[in-house]
Amino acid sequence: MWYVSTRGMAPRVNFEGALFSGYAPDGGLFMPEELPQLDRETLRRWSTLSYPSLVQELCALFIGPELIPRDDLDDLIHRAFSRFRHREVVPLSRLRNGLNVLELWHGVTYAFKDLSLCCTAQFLQYFLEKREKHVTVVVGTSGDTGSAAIESVQGAKNVDIIVLLPKGHCTKIQELQMTTVLKENVHVFGVEGNSDELDEPIKAVFADVAFVKRHNLMSLNSINWSRVLVQTAHHFFAYFRCVPSLDTHPLPPVEVVVPTGAAGNLAAGCIAQKMGLPIRLVAAVTCNDIIHRTVQQGDFSLSETVKPTLASAMDIQVPYNMERIFWLLSDSDSQGTRDLMEEFERTRSVRLPEGLQRKCSPVLSGPRLCRQVPGSCPGCRAESRDSLGDLSAGEKEDTLYPNAEEQRLDTDSSGHN
């Protein structure tokens, strides 16, 4: 399988090339040139699999056997999940009124990013050992990405990792997870500013293609395609656990609530949709609500400031994976995506074309976006319908009240991308 930039000006690469890249040379993000379309028989077969086995099947579609033979791929993924605390890796808890919670926090650092990063690190080290190479990973974090990335590569002889930690913008636990690792290949630096601000120099570094090649730099933020690929499995696994049968016509929909910052998990859900999974995505955000405004009003623009909330990893004003979503929903329109993103980078404010906004709203369930994370919980929650009477009309619009007749899923909110 080949991968192309969302901006259409970079040479296409294979999975290994996408894995070892940060941004594409033209500033875009790598995406599969074509997405596999899954028939009902494939979905039925996948529905009986464990989470690790499902990840193996999904990754095999996007990583050719000429790069990683299937037996090796299965072994890498098995090794990746070996340290998770729960025997199912990703269990599903069933609550009242059809609400289900997919527990994505059973990895070493308790962040959902452990799931994708542990696999990505295995793929990375497989190629490094095979090619006898060394890389330096550069990661910007609002908390959970940094600690999960460090955990995935600490002690590796062929990887050094540099983590930029925004001082005062992470939880104490996350900060300690990063600053107390005493491995020679781990380098953590506290920087001034928030996570959006530190993303700018990182992107500038990766724009210097010669510098990146000279120093063998790469990223493990969710600009990396491998992260998004593994996260796509969350949506398939959730769907299979929520739906009682795959024998109905058409397949029943499942509504998936995705706490969102940089929109990596949301992009993964859009990819699953495009592959044929009948899910409806609800993007849950904090008061830093650029995604809410983008879907509801077509207003893709920064607010004046990033407002701190209890969900610091979701306090994002530059959700860079929206570029992948714009590209997907515009039928791979690289020219339109490039024009849109370059204007956003210049002005920090852009109005979505009317046709693109119309496509965003039904895919991302715009009318049911949650605009504000409740102050009592460091994540987003779906209230029971009994509590409607306690809210004003405006609050009812901005809080998640999925339809009672549908199966619903609330995913873990431990991270922003």
Side-chain angles (χ1 to χ4, degrees):
M1 176 174 286
W2 293 100
Y3 295 85
V4 297
S5 170
T6 51
R7 302 192 188 186
M9 301 294 287
R12 66 179 189 172
V13 297
N14 60 17
F15 175 79
E16 184 179 359
L19 174 68
F20 280 91
S21 298
Y23 290 91
D26 61 358
L29 301 173
F30 282 114
M31 286 288 286
E33 193 169 40
E34 294 183 6
L35 289 173
Q37 299 302 300
L38 304 180
D39 57 26
R40 186 182 291 261
E41 282 308 309
T42 300
L43 293 175
R44 183 177 286 109
R45 179 168 55 84
W46 283 13
S47 69
T48 63
L49 299 177
S50 66
Y51 179 82
S53 296
L54 179 60
V55 174
Q56 291 167 352
E57 292 294 327
L58 184 65
C59 287
L61 294 179
F62 292 89
I63 307 172
E66 72 283 359
L67 292 176
I68 305 180
R70 182 57 192 267
D71 287 346
D72 289 347
L73 180 66
D74 289 353
D75 182 61
L76 292 174
I77 292 171
H78 174 76
R79 196 182 309 161
F81 296 129
S82 63
R83 295 183 63 201
F84 277 68
R85 292 181 300 276
H86 198 285
R87 59 184 176 82
E88 295 180 26
V89 181
V90 177
L92 184 82
S93 293
R94 301 186 184 278
L95 307 181
R96 295 183 304 169
N97 302 323
L99 178 65
N100 305 280
V101 176
L102 191 64
E103 297 182 3
L104 305 179
W105 58 79
H106 294 287
V108 176
T109 74
Y110 295 85
F112 89 92
K113 294 166 189 177
D114 285 326
L115 289 156
S116 59
L117 278 165
C118 69
C119 292
T120 298
Q122 290 293 325
F123 302 153
L124 175 64
Q125 293 189 57
Y126 178 86
F127 287 117
L128 289 175
E129 291 173 5
K130 191 174 182 180
R131 314 293 187 214
E132 297 183 346
K133 290 175 56 179
H134 178 280
V135 296
T136 298
V137 174
V138 180
V139 171
T141 186
S142 57
D144 50 0
T145 298
S147 53
I150 288 170
E151 173 58 34
S152 71
V153 300
Q154 63 165 310
K157 295 180 180 179
N158 44 17
V159 179
D160 273 88
I161 183 168
I162 297 172
V163 175
L164 303 182
L165 166 66
K167 291 190 290 188
H169 292 272
C170 299
T171 68
K172 191 65 176 177
I173 290 175
Q174 290 168 336
E175 185 175 316
L176 288 170
Q177 284 179 331
M178 287 179 271
T179 58
T180 58
V181 177
L182 304 179
K183 300 294 185 181
E184 290 185 0
N185 69 324
V186 176
H187 317 279
V188 180
F189 299 90
V191 299
E192 301 294 337
N194 58 46
S195 61
D196 286 331
E197 291 167 335
L198 67 85
D199 279 340
E200 294 182 17
I202 291 175
K203 185 165 188 177
V205 166
F206 282 105
D208 188 338
V209 176
F211 183 85
V212 168
K213 287 185 177 179
R214 185 163 66 250
H215 296 283
N216 289 330
L217 302 183
M218 63 169 292
S219 174
L220 285 179
N221 285 95
S222 63
I223 59 174
N224 192 302
W225 160 250
S226 178
R227 288 271 311 274
V228 178
L229 167 59
V230 178
Q231 287 174 191
T232 305
H234 306 345
H235 299 273
F236 281 97
F237 190 72
Y239 181 83
F240 297 141
R241 289 299 180 270
C242 287
V243 173
S245 172
L246 295 180
D247 294 327
T248 58
H249 297 272
L251 290 173
V254 168
E255 189 169 71
V256 183
V257 180
V258 185
T260 301
N265 217 3
L266 203 60
C270 288
I271 290 166
Q273 285 179 326
K274 286 285 188 179
M275 292 174 68
L277 193 69
I279 57 174
R280 298 172 183 169
L281 296 167
V282 179
V285 299
T286 67
C287 55
N288 300 293
D289 61 350
I290 183 172
I291 295 177
H292 177 91
R293 288 182 282 106
T294 300
V295 176
Q296 294 282 57
Q297 306 162 23
D299 174 21
F300 189 52
S301 62
L302 299 188
S303 298
E304 291 184 5
T305 60
V306 175
K307 300 174 183 177
T309 73
L310 290 176
S312 60
M314 293 170 62
D315 293 340
I316 303 295
Q317 276 291 304
V318 185
Y320 41 77
N321 278 292
M322 286 301 290
E323 178 165 347
R324 285 185 162 114
I325 294 173
F326 295 152
W327 185 83
L328 283 167
L329 298 185
S330 64
D331 298 320
S332 311
D333 180 2
S334 298
Q335 177 69 54
T337 302
R338 181 169 71 253
D339 292 345
L340 185 72
M341 295 308 300
E342 288 181 350
E343 182 180 351
F344 175 75
E345 288 167 357
R346 285 193 308 271
T347 66
R348 296 307 197 190
S349 178
V350 66
R351 174 68 57 176
L352 292 193
E354 186 176 335
L356 181 57
Q357 188 193 350
R358 282 200 307 268
K359 291 180 179 179
C360 279
S361 293
V363 171
L364 299 178
S365 299
R368 281 186 276 182
L369 285 173
C370 174
R371 191 173 61 83
Q372 176 69 51
V373 170
S376 61
C377 176
C380 189
R381 67 187 180 196
E383 301 283 359
S384 71
R385 297 177 67 85
D386 296 336
S387 63
L388 278 168
D390 299 329
L391 299 177
S392 67
E395 287 173 315
K396 290 176 184 177
E397 290 178 0
D398 284 336
T399 308
L400 301 170
Y401 294 101
N403 295 334
E405 67 273 13
E406 296 177 357
Q407 286 287 326
R408 292 149 294 175
L409 178 82
D410 189 7
T411 60
D412 167 46
S413 61
S414 62
H416 77 272
N417 59 2

